[in-house]
Structure formats: C-alpha cells, structure tokens
Amino acid sequence: MLKLFPQSLGFWSVTLFLTTVALLGATSVNALWMMESLGRQSRTAAQNAATLTEQAQRLQERTLTMERSARQFLILNDTSFRDRYMDAWKEAQQALRAVKANSGLHQPVFNEWLDTSETAGAVLARSFDEAGKQQRFLFAQLAHLRELNDEIAQDVRVGIANRNDSFLHELDRQRTLLMWQLIAVGGIAVVLIVAWHLGFARPLRRVVDAIHQLGENRLADPVVIAGPGDLRQLGVQLDWLRRRLLSSDEEKTRVLHHVSHELKTPLAALREGVALLDEGIIGPLEPRQREITGILQQNVLTLQARIEDLLRYQTIAWQARRLTRVAVDVREVLENTVEDQKLQWQARNLEVSITGPNAVITADGEKLAMVVGNLLSNAIRFSPEGGTVALSCMQADGSTIIECADDGPGIPAAEAARIFEPFYRGGGQPAVASPGHGIGLSIVRELVEAHGGIVELVAAGPGARFRITLPDESH
C-alpha cells in the first residue's frame, strides 16, 4: 500500500476526481456526437427520400405529357405538339438523372428508358406521314415507358425502405455501443471507488481509530497508518504523540510515587513522635496537652489516608487507560457484585434487587465490576436501616444502560455538579453513613468514560439514582 500510493491524499483525490470527470465528459461528448451524427443521417435520408419521390413523380408526369403530345401530333398534325413532346422529354431526362443520382441505383432500367424514349423521339422527328405509318410502334414504345416508370418508382420505394432499414440498424448499433460505453464507465467508477476505499478510506478510518485510541489513553499499541504520504506522516506524528503521552504518564506516576514516598517518611516519624507523646514517654501529659496530641494523631492518620487514596486513585486512573475488552454479561456482573458485598448489605438489613435481561457487551469485566461495586457500596452506606437498593440493566438504541438506585437522603442540587470530582465529599451526610474519601464516584467516571460511556445522576432525592450508558460495541 505504501508503494502504491506514495503521493499525498490531495493529489490522489484530485486525480480520481479529474479521472471520473474525464470519463463522464468523454461519454457525454461521444453520446452528443452520436446523436448529432444520427440526426444528420436522418435529415439527409428524409431530404433524399423527398427528392426521389418528387423526381419519380415528375418523371411519370413528363412521360404522360410526352404520350399525350405524341397522340395530339398524330391526330392534328400540329408541330407545336411535337415541340411540346421534345420539351417534356428533356425534362423527363433531367428527372431520370436526378433519380439515378440520388438513389445510387445503377440498374439497366435507366438505360432502357433512355433508349426507348430516344426511339419514340426518332419516330416523331420524322414527317407526319412517316410517323403515322409507325403509329402503333410509337404507342407501344410510349406504353413501355410507362412500365419502365412503374419499375423505377418501385425501385425508388425499395431503395428508400432499404435506407430506412440501414438507418435503424445504425441506430441500434450506436445505442448498443453507447450502452457498452456506459457499462465500461460504470465498471471503471466501481474500480475507482474500491481503490478509494482500499487506499484512502481505510487509512482515514485508521486515523480516527488512532485518535480514539489516544483519547482512551490506550498507549501501549503503536500507531501505524498506511496509505498516501501525508496520511503516513500523520501516523508518524500520532505515534510520536502516543510516545510523549506514555512518557508523560510514566513520569507523572514516578513523580507521584516519589512524592508519596517522601511524604510517608516524615509522616511516619511524625506519627511515631505523636504516639510517644501520647503514651507519656517523656512524662505525663496534662488533659489539655493530651487533647492536642489527640488532634495531631487524628490529622496524621487523615493525612496518611489521603496520600493512600491519592495513590489508589492514580493507580486506578492509569489502569482505566489499559482496558482488556472481552464479551461481558452485564447481568452476571451485577449478580456477582451483589454477592461479593452480601455481608455489608445484610449487616444493614437492606434489600438488594436486580432486574433486567442478560446483556452482553464488549468491555473490561474487572473494571466494570469495580464500577458497579463502587455504586453499590455508596448506595449501602447512604441507605437507611432496612432500606432497599435497586440495580437494573437494559438495552436500548444501541446502548446498554445500568442503573443503581437507593432510598437514602439523596444528593442536594447544589452538590450534584461536583459529586464526580476527585476527593469531593458533600456536606450533610447522615450519621448512618461511614465517612468516605471522595474518590469512589470519580473512579466510576474514569472507568465509564474509558469504555466510551457516560455516568450521570438522574434523580437527586428522595434517594439517589445513578445511570451508566455504555455503547454495545466499544472501539
């Protein structure tokens, strides 16, 4: 593919466009030329047929005039009728030559007509008495001219019919030729479309997939794009970006671990020092001093928990970018998660229900279980004693929807926009809820978005209802 399309996408796009336009233009010009040629042939044939018909009719009229003039001359002995015969004979000869020229026929009938008319003319050219003696012969020659006229008229009609047949045959031939040209152009167009798909559509789709891959932070797989030179160069740049992002992630993880290690060392010393003070190693503490050491000890433990939460959140966020996608049954994930947390919700005397059919999607089963586990854990913490938690799944519009609802106090509207932020803990939590660290819902959002889905709060009291929408086919 790299060798077939070394030029740029723009070059090949323009080339394919101009090729298609040239093919369509050539076909159109050829079709117009065919129509013009057939039109000229049709007009010529029509004019020729009209001329032949007119000249054949004129030949018959002049022959009838010749016969009438000959009879009148023989009866009245008036030379003007003989002159009229000669004039009609000349005009008949002109009509005969026109018929012969326009019909393209070279039959003996034309020569026979000329010989017969000359013979009759020679009889009339004699004296009245001599012509009268050959009257029967003369009338026989003139009658033969009428027969020859009928034969010529018949030949003209046959010639016109043959020309019409030839024109129709040529019309059929040109129509067949044009049809095959259109089929050839259509075939070439299909080849060009296939070439575009193989040479350009696939690389462009690979560019989209590569951008989606980087957006999901799946940085382990290299980006390789075949096709035109500029798309290959874009692939090189995207792979460079992938390596930069991978290096940045690794550097960020190293910095975070180093910082946490640097914090843990003095934090451990501080915790030990506060413990020694609290135990009275350096002497008994007064009540006020013991209260202060208690505050210090509590804050040291809180700080340690925050550092551990930060590391945990960073680890999970990093893992979210490296999903192992397989076929996962969402209903089965819900059932396994409920079973794993059975002791927690039974200790609170809660009722947990699961509704919905089996729904198989392409996802990371371990990460999806972590999402459902965090939502269920939150619902258990905030649900009142003896309350209910409802889990459900369904498929609609090409997506799989997971919902988790409880009948706890719900989430205030003022806090709904921030509940997915890391380390955010809303105020006004009920006494039954054990203190959290504010990373559960942020982890849910990280993992859901890594799958190309969305998570949202669809009801904020009484009770809370979270909805996760996942595409059935993840890319």
Side-chain angles (χ1 to χ4, degrees):
M1 186 66 67
L2 297 178
K3 295 180 180 180
L4 288 177
F5 301 101
Q7 285 81 10
S8 67
L9 177 63
F11 170 82
W12 284 108
S13 298
V14 172
T15 300
L16 290 176
F17 174 77
L18 292 179
T19 302
T20 304
V21 170
L23 289 172
L24 294 176
T27 304
S28 301
V29 170
N30 185 62
L32 290 175
W33 180 84
M34 286 183 180
M35 293 175 61
E36 180 63 24
S37 176
L38 291 173
R40 287 197 302 269
Q41 293 181 27
S42 177
R43 289 191 297 271
T44 302
Q47 293 173 357
N48 189 50
T51 300
L52 282 173
T53 303
E54 179 184 358
Q55 295 301 328
Q57 184 177 1
R58 183 184 178 192
L59 177 63
Q60 290 180 339
E61 291 175 353
R62 294 299 178 268
T63 302
L64 182 62
T65 301
M66 289 166 57
E67 183 176 1
R68 185 183 301 113
S69 299
R71 291 180 181 277
Q72 290 173 342
F73 171 72
L74 292 176
I75 295 174
L76 301 177
N77 191 19
D78 188 347
T79 57
S80 63
F81 292 108
R82 184 169 60 186
D83 294 339
R84 183 181 301 175
Y85 173 90
M86 295 301 176
D87 293 339
W89 181 29
K90 293 179 181 178
E91 292 179 0
Q93 289 177 329
Q94 293 176 354
L96 182 68
R97 287 193 292 269
V99 170
K100 183 177 181 181
N102 289 313
S103 66
L105 299 175
H106 300 284
Q107 298 181 4
V109 65
F110 295 109
N111 294 329
E112 185 176 356
W113 192 97
L114 291 174
D115 292 341
T116 302
S117 63
E118 287 180 0
T119 300
V123 172
L124 284 178
R126 298 174 183 175
S127 64
F128 176 78
D129 294 334
E130 292 180 353
K133 294 178 181 179
Q134 296 185 349
Q135 180 176 351
R136 182 175 298 178
F137 174 76
L138 175 62
F139 290 158
Q141 295 297 311
L142 293 176
H144 186 52
L145 284 180
R146 291 200 305 272
E147 295 175 354
L148 293 176
N149 286 341
D150 293 338
E151 185 176 348
I152 291 173
Q154 178 63 26
D155 290 341
V156 167
R157 287 192 292 271
V158 172
I160 293 175
N162 290 337
R163 290 186 181 184
N164 289 336
D165 292 340
S166 298
F167 176 76
L168 293 176
H169 177 72
E170 178 66 16
L171 180 62
D172 290 338
R173 190 185 72 83
Q174 295 289 355
R175 182 167 54 241
T176 302
L177 179 61
L178 181 59
M179 180 187 68
W180 282 111
Q181 288 178 348
L182 292 176
I183 292 175
V185 171
I188 295 174
V190 170
V191 171
L192 293 178
I193 291 173
V194 172
W196 173 266
H197 176 74
L198 295 177
F200 308 122
R202 287 183 178 179
L204 287 174
R205 188 168 61 248
R206 178 67 185 113
V207 170
V208 175
D209 292 341
I211 294 174
H212 193 77
Q213 171 187 335
L214 296 180
E216 289 185 345
N217 284 309
R218 292 186 282 115
L219 307 177
D221 300 329
V223 176
V224 179
I225 298 175
D230 47 1
L231 289 184
R232 297 200 310 273
Q233 183 61 30
L234 178 59
V236 172
Q237 295 297 321
L238 289 175
D239 194 63
W240 172 84
L241 178 60
R242 177 193 67 85
R243 296 194 302 271
R244 291 282 295 179
L245 292 174
L246 185 60
S247 176
S248 176
D249 273 357
E250 293 173 350
E251 182 65 24
K252 183 170 61 176
T253 301
R254 285 195 300 270
V255 170
L256 187 60
H257 280 284
H258 290 163
V259 170
S260 64
H261 177 73
E262 294 297 327
L263 289 177
K264 281 183 176 181
T265 300
L267 186 61
L270 182 59
R271 186 178 66 245
E272 291 297 328
V274 173
L276 292 175
L277 287 176
D278 188 61
E279 293 173 2
I281 299 299
I282 61 174
L285 299 178
E286 296 178 358
R288 181 62 176 168
Q289 292 173 331
R290 186 170 296 281
E291 180 182 352
I292 293 175
T293 57
I295 294 173
L296 289 174
Q297 194 170 28
Q298 179 63 35
N299 280 276
V300 167
L301 293 175
T302 300
L303 182 58
Q304 182 178 2
R306 289 294 179 86
I307 293 174
E308 292 174 352
D309 286 342
L310 179 61
L311 290 175
R312 177 167 170 259
Y313 174 75
Q314 183 64 27
T315 300
I316 292 176
W318 185 82
Q319 291 176 349
R321 302 164 188 170
R322 289 157 178 81
L323 303 180
T324 303
R325 301 178 186 271
V326 295
V328 177
D329 190 330
V330 177
R331 172 68 185 244
E332 185 177 342
V333 171
L334 297 182
E335 292 173 349
N336 292 339
T337 304
V338 170
E339 184 65 24
D340 291 341
Q341 299 191 24
K342 186 174 183 179
L343 293 179
Q344 290 91 321
W345 56 267
Q346 282 185 342
R348 299 289 308 284
N349 195 26
L350 298 177
E351 180 182 347
V352 180
S353 65
I354 301 175
T355 59
N358 294 85
V360 178
I361 64 172
T362 302
D364 189 315
E366 182 180 349
K367 305 298 188 304
L368 188 58
M370 190 179 298
V371 168
V372 177
N374 277 334
L375 290 180
L376 180 58
S377 177
N378 269 358
I380 292 173
R381 285 197 311 113
F382 285 92
S383 293
E385 190 81 16
T388 60
V389 176
L391 295 173
S392 65
C393 67
M394 68 184 74
Q395 289 183 311
D397 299 328
S399 299
T400 298
I401 299 173
I402 304 172
E403 289 191 354
C404 178
D406 60 60
D407 54 3
I411 299 173
E415 299 177 0
R418 300 191 57 193
I419 57 174
F420 294 105
E421 296 179 5
F423 307 107
Y424 176 78
R425 293 188 295 176
Q429 298 191 18
V432 296
S434 58
H437 301 106
I439 65 170
L441 291 178
S442 59
I443 290 175
V444 169
R445 184 180 64 177
E446 286 281 346
L447 295 177
V448 170
E449 291 181 352
H451 282 84
I454 57 173
V455 57
E456 55 188 336
L457 177 68
V458 295
R465 179 185 297 271
F466 289 93
R467 175 180 296 162
I468 295 172
T469 305
L470 297 173
D472 288 348
E473 293 293 334
S474 301
H475 300 284

